[in-house]
Amino acid sequence: MLVITLRVALSLGVVLALMWVLHRRMAKGQFGAGRKPRGRRSAAVEVVARQGIGGKASVVVVDVEGERLVLGVTEHGVNLLTSGAAPAPELTVVTGPVVLPVRPTPSAEAFRQELAEQDRAVPSLPTDPAAEPLPMRPRNRRAQRTVVPTSAQLQGSILSADTWRQAAAALRSRRAG
């Protein structure tokens, strides 16, 4: 049983390690799926707005490297409708002190009253000296022997060699017949 458990654990570890390696390679773009352009840096594209105008057609406003483009998008292609300089982001200048909204905080007296109510509501622990102590688990238990199941106990189980032999014989008989 221990050997089977170790085999399953080892197999699971190998599968998980393989999945992790493949995930890392896909994230780095070594298989072509997430490959980044190598030469010139790719431009950052920000979609400002999109408006559908019917069916599968829409007008999209995008900012690319400081330029604003208005594009017509259909199922057959993308057309440039107009372009111009992207507007500068609006900045707010604060000239005076800023007053932030503050939630009212409960007073210390209200907090004390709430604590007193909670103390009255909670029953105290029993202080009876005759009460039984909680059972203690022994600290130094002897290691238990590993029990290997017998073939009779494994009969019909997926761990039984006889089950696998029967499955293989059934497959062979289907192919031959």
Side-chain angles (χ1 to χ4, degrees):
M1 185 68 172
L2 180 64
V3 173
I4 292 172
T5 304
L6 290 175
R7 276 180 156 176
V8 169
L10 180 66
S11 300
L12 181 62
V14 168
V15 169
L16 290 175
L18 181 62
M19 288 175 59
W20 180 77
V21 168
L22 289 174
H23 172 71
R24 298 276 298 184
R25 290 225 173 145
M26 292 295 284
K28 288 182 181 178
Q30 293 179 357
F31 289 122
R35 190 165 292 191
K36 297 175 184 160
R38 295 194 179 240
R40 202 174 77 173
R41 278 184 36 191
S42 62
V45 177
E46 180 184 354
V47 177
V48 177
R50 170 179 240 127
Q51 177 66 47
I53 56 174
K56 295 181 180 178
S58 61
V59 175
V60 180
V61 179
V62 295
D63 285 343
V64 180
E65 293 183 349
E67 188 174 5
R68 179 158 285 181
L69 306 174
V70 180
L71 306 172
V73 180
T74 64
E75 62 183 89
H76 301 294
V78 178
N79 296 317
L80 177 64
L81 302 177
T82 186
S83 65
E90 294 181 19
L91 300 176
T92 305
V93 178
V94 178
T95 58
V98 177
V99 179
L100 298 174
V102 179
R103 287 185 286 161
T105 57
S107 68
E109 185 58 37
F111 185 67
R112 255 187 242 109
Q113 289 174 356
E114 181 66 29
L115 281 178
E117 287 177 27
Q118 293 297 324
D119 283 343
R120 277 182 255 135
V122 177
S124 62
L125 293 174
T127 57
D128 183 15
E132 290 184 31
L134 295 174
M136 299 285 291
R137 188 176 56 169
R139 282 187 172 192
N140 298 325
R141 270 200 252 173
R142 288 184 18 212
Q144 294 180 350
R145 255 186 57 226
T146 304
V147 179
V148 179
T150 63
S151 60
Q153 291 173 327
L154 289 177
Q155 186 176 9
S157 167
I158 194 169
L159 301 176
S160 172
D162 292 332
T163 303
W164 289 102
R165 285 188 198 105
Q166 290 174 358
L171 286 174
R172 274 189 241 118
S173 68
R174 283 190 127 178
R175 287 184 188 163

